[in-house]
Every structure is written in structure tokens, then in C-alpha cells.
């Protein structure tokens, strides 16, 4: 597994890549590929979230769980899909919430959230790889240790970051975050199974921009073009 990760993250995470769990994870991925299994996203996109959002540029963190396991969907950004791919239900609900919060928000014709990432929104999945048509197949292989450490390092070394934790899985990560230094906003997951239980109407996108403005930072343009 090539280490294709942005320079500032490479420096911050240097020790992690030398630990046994990461060495074992790389070996596992290489073995699965050699056996002929298809892994998403492509190797060059595994650390895409980090490559779009350098460590010192992070303003907002949105936590997901697993990459999408369908062809041409996952590209290393939580909740995001590549252009030309049908929108997953959770992303549709995210866009519906944006339409509710911002009256001028136009429903996008694709689900590539790279524009958010380029503005400082770290779209971080807990697990960074998955096998085709096999959801959760790379859970408990070491990725969660790595991404937990990412959250801890952001909490330790940065201040004023806004964490959007949707659903119980993401909210469990709040223990890794110093809420005296950062802002943690929680809501139900945008999945159709839970969106009506507190995701719709959470106003997280408006709240995020208000906090950024209060901190003298540029608001996020949530419109996808």
C-alpha cells in the first residue's frame, strides 16, 4: 500500500505508519489484492480526505463509518461519491437538509464533496477501505486505530475545530475530543432509517458557519457546483 498522503499529515502521522498495527494492515491489504479481491477506493484515493484537507487547513470534521462498496462510488471522502454515480440515500438527505437550511441552496446533480474538503472540511471515514459488495469487510483490521489517532491529534494540536457527529457510531468518538478546545455538534445519522429522528432540522451547516464567522474564519460554501 503506497503512502500517498499529503505532506503535513505525513509529518503528523509519521509514528503511526511505523506501528505494528499499520504494518499488519498494509500486509492484509496487499494479501487481499494478491488473492484477486477488489478493494475500494483505489489505492491512490485511500488517503484522499487528507490530501484535499491539509492538517493546518482543517476547520470542520465530518465523521463517517465505511467507504461505499459499489463500483465507482468510494473515492476517499466520507459520504461523497464520484461524479456520474447515483446519490446514496444518506447523501440525498444531507442535501435535503441543506435545502432546508439555505433557501438558495440548489440540489446538486452529483455527489462529489471535494469542494467541501478543499475548504477545510475533513470528510473522515473510520475505516478507509472495503471490499467490493462486502460492507464492513475491513472493519477491525487496524483502520479504526489509525483514524481514532487522527481525531486525537486534531484535538490535541489544533483548536476551534467543529466536529459534526451524526449517529451513535460517530458520537462514540466524542470521547477522543477535548470539548473545551473544540465544538462538538451531534445529530441523528442522515440515513433514511434515522434522518427523521433528529438529522432533519439539526441546522448543523448554518451553525457551523455561524461559529466559523464568530471565530474570524471564512464560512463554508456548502453549494456543490
Amino acid at each position: 500500500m503506497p503512502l500517498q498522503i499529503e505532506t503535513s499529515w505525513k509529518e503528523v502521522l509519521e509514528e503511526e505508519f511505523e506501528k505494528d498495527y499499520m504494518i499488519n494492515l498494509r500486509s492484509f491489504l496487499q494479501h487481499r489484492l494478491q488473492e484477486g479481491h477488489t478493494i475500494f477506493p483505489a489505492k491512490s484515493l485511500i488517503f484522499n480526505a487528507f490530501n484535499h484537507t491539509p492538517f493546518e487547513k482543517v476547520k470542520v470534521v465530518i465523521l463517517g463509518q465505511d467507504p461505499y462498496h459499489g463500483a465507482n462510488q468510494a473515492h476517499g471522502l466520507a459520504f461523497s461519491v464520484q461524479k456520474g454515480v447515483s446519490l446514496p440515500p444518506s447523501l440525498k438527505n444531507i442535501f435535503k437538509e441543506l435545502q432546508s437550511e439555505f433557501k438558495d441552496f440548489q440540489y446538486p446533480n452529483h455527489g462529489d464533496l471535494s469542494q467541501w474538503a478543499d475548504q477545510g472540511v475533513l470528510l473522515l471515514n473510520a475505516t478507509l477501505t472495503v471490499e467490493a459488495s462486502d460492507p464492513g469487510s475491513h472493519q477491525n483490521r487496524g483502520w479504526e486505530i489509525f483514524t481514532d489517532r487522527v481525531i486525537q491529534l486534531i484535538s490535541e494540536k489544533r483548536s476551534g475545530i467543529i466536529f459534526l457527529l451524526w449517529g451513535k457510531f460517530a458520537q462514540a468518538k466524542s470521547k477522543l475530543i477535548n470539548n473545551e478546545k473544540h465544538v462538538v455538534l451531534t445529530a441523528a445519522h442522515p440515513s433514511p432509517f434515522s434522518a427523521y429522528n433528529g438529522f432533519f432540522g439539526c441546522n448543523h451547516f448554518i451553525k457551523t458557519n455561524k461559529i466559523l464567522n464568530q471565530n474570524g474564519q471564512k464560512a463554508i460554501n456548502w453549494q456543490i457546483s
Side-chain angles (χ1 to χ4, degrees), residues 6-62:
E6 188 271 337
T7 302
S8 65
W9 282 108
K10 192 172 184 178
E11 293 175 357
V12 170
L13 295 165
E14 184 176 12
E15 292 182 5
E16 295 305 303
F17 288 109
E18 303 304 320
K19 291 182 177 177
D20 286 345
Y21 81 87
M22 185 56 77
I23 294 170
N24 292 336
L25 174 57
R26 284 200 292 265
S27 177
F28 165 74
L29 292 172
Q30 289 166 355
H31 183 67
R32 297 302 283 173
L33 287 170
Q34 288 168 358
E35 288 185 333
H37 297 275
T38 300
I39 293 177
F40 297 132
K43 286 191 288 186
S44 62
L45 296 174
I46 290 174
F47 296 111
N48 204 24
F50 304 93
N51 295 335
H52 274 279
T53 315
F55 183 74
E56 294 299 333
K57 300 291 186 182
V58 175
K59 298 195 288 188
V60 182
V61 178
I62 298 179

Side-chain angles (χ1 to χ4, degrees), residues 179-195:
N179 60 15
E180 294 183 0
K181 292 174 59 183
H182 306 283
V183 177
V184 177
L185 300 180
T186 62
H189 194 276
S191 160
F193 299 105
S194 55

Side-chain angles (χ1 to χ4, degrees), residues 96-114:
K96 286 179 183 177
E97 173 61 19
L98 280 160
Q99 280 185 309
S100 173
E101 294 188 30
F102 301 99
K103 302 309 177 187
D104 59 348
F105 182 84
Q106 297 181 356
Y107 199 95
N109 61 9
H110 66 86
D112 184 344
L113 305 181
S114 297

Side-chain angles (χ1 to χ4, degrees), residues 68 77 92 97 112 195 199:
Y68 298 115
L77 304 176
K92 289 181 180 179
E97 173 61 19
D112 184 344
F199 179 76

Side-chain angles (χ1 to χ4, degrees), residues 59 162 208-220:
K59 298 195 288 188
I162 304 164
T208 293
N209 280 354
K210 183 177 180 181
I211 294 165
L212 289 172
N213 286 330
Q214 289 172 343
N215 291 342
Q217 294 180 286
K218 187 177 181 180
I220 304 298

Side-chain angles (χ1 to χ4, degrees), residues 10 28 49 57 85 89 95 109 126 130 137 146 153 177 185 190 196:
K10 192 172 184 178
F28 165 74
K57 300 291 186 182
V85 178
F95 288 158
N109 61 9
V130 71
S137 50
F146 177 78
L153 287 166
I177 303 164
L185 300 180
Y196 287 96

